[in-house]
Each structure stands twice: as C-alpha cells, then as structure tokens.
C-alpha cells in the first residue's frame, strides 16, 4: 500500500512538473526547469557513484565483506539444518508419545479391570514424565527457531 502511494506521488509530481514545464506560466516553467536540472545533477552524481563503486568492486574492495557474508550464510544454513533435524526428531518422539497415550486409553476403555492399578499408575506416570520432557524440549526448539 505504501509502495503504491509513493509510486503514485512520484508520477503525480513528474506529471505536474511536465505540465508546468510545457504549459505553465513563465514562472512555473522556470521553476520546473530548475527542478529538472537538479534532478539531472542527482542522477549524474548517482551514476558517477555507481561507476566508482563498480571499479572498487573490480579491484577487490568488497571481497572480504562478500567472503564474510558467504561464511555467515553457510554457518546459518548448517545451524538451520541441525535445528531442522532436532525438530524432526522431536516430532517423531511426540508422535510416538501420542501413540502410547492412545494405546493406553484404548486399553482402559476396552477393559478397565484388565490392568493392575499399580501398572496403570506407573504407565500414566511414565506418559506424564515423557509429556513434560517433550513440552520443555518443544519450548526450547521454539525459542531457537525464532
């Protein structure tokens, strides 16, 4: 939206200056001509700057900076790959936990008296322990991914 506003404003100013340059009063024509000449100076200065920087680039001014950027991006990609693998491992462990939880629930629903109460408590406690570990690791991975 902001880009549209700037583009529209830019073309509106150019159109207004062009109109004044060709159809305006003598004062408006003079003002438009001054603005166009200043604009040409700015464009010329920008072109000179680009030529100068291109020559410096050819001479190797930016080689070290580009190497640093390349090294940084490689390191970031490597770390991102490790983080992605950790997330995949966490997702697999969570899926396994979900399956264990579902199996236990089905066993309880099918025949509530078939399991010893101590076994049931132990299984529930183990699932709860795994859930807490997964939750903590999930939060850590979430923070790392930010």
């Amino acid at each position: 939206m902001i880009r549209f506003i700037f583009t529209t404003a830019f073309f509106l100013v150019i159109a207004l200056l062009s109109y004044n340059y060709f159809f305006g009063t003598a004062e408006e024509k003079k003002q438009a001509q001054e603005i166009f000449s200043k604009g040409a100076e700015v464009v010329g200065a920008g072109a000179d700057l680009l030529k100068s920087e291109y020559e410096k680039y050819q001479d190797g001014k930016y080689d070290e900076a580009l190497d640093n950027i390349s090294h940084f991006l490689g390191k970031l990609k490597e770390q991102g790959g490790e983080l992605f693998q950790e997330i995949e491992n966490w997702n697999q462990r969570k899926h396994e936990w979900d399956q264990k939880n579902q199996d236990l629930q089905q066993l309880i629903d099918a025949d509530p008296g078939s399991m010893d109460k101590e076994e049931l408590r132990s299984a529930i406690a183990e699932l709860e322990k795994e859930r807490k570990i997964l939750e903590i690791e999930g939060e850590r991975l979430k923070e790392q991914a930010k």
Side-chain angles (χ1 to χ4, degrees):
M1 182 66 180
I2 292 174
R3 185 178 183 182
F4 173 75
I5 292 170
F6 282 130
T7 304
T8 303
F10 174 76
F11 284 115
L12 183 62
V13 167
I14 296 296
L16 185 59
L17 285 173
S18 298
Y19 178 81
N20 285 346
Y21 185 79
F22 292 108
F23 304 110
T25 63
E27 185 180 320
E28 290 172 341
K29 286 181 181 182
K30 182 181 176 187
Q31 185 181 30
Q33 188 174 15
E34 286 177 15
I35 291 172
F36 279 131
S37 67
K38 288 178 184 175
E41 289 174 18
V42 169
V43 170
D48 290 342
L49 174 68
L50 288 175
K51 283 182 194 176
S52 168
E53 290 302 315
Y54 180 73
E55 289 171 6
K56 290 176 186 175
Y57 168 76
Q58 293 288 20
D59 293 338
K61 175 184 177 185
Y62 296 108
D63 288 350
E64 186 178 342
L66 292 175
D67 288 342
N68 288 341
I69 291 171
S70 176
H71 178 69
F72 172 73
L73 291 176
K75 197 173 182 180
L76 189 62
K77 182 179 178 183
E78 183 180 300
Q79 289 175 347
E82 291 171 5
L83 181 60
F84 180 75
Q85 186 62 39
E86 283 186 56
I87 292 171
E88 285 295 314
N89 289 341
W90 183 87
N91 279 331
Q92 179 63 34
R93 289 180 27 231
K94 182 178 179 314
H95 177 71
E96 290 169 2
W97 181 87
D98 286 338
Q99 189 62 45
K100 288 179 192 176
N101 189 29
Q102 199 173 42
D103 291 346
L104 182 61
Q105 190 62 44
Q106 287 176 351
L107 185 61
I108 292 170
D109 290 344
D111 190 8
S114 68
M115 286 187 73
D116 180 25
K117 287 187 178 187
E118 192 56 40
E119 284 181 51
L120 183 59
R121 284 187 188 130
S122 175
I124 291 172
E126 186 64 32
L127 278 175
E128 181 63 18
K129 183 179 169 183
E130 286 181 42
R131 183 194 64 78
K132 286 180 181 178
I133 291 170
L134 283 170
E135 190 175 285
I136 291 168
E137 287 181 20
E139 287 297 320
R140 181 185 58 83
L141 290 172
K142 184 178 169 183
E143 287 299 316
Q144 278 184 318
K146 285 185 180 180

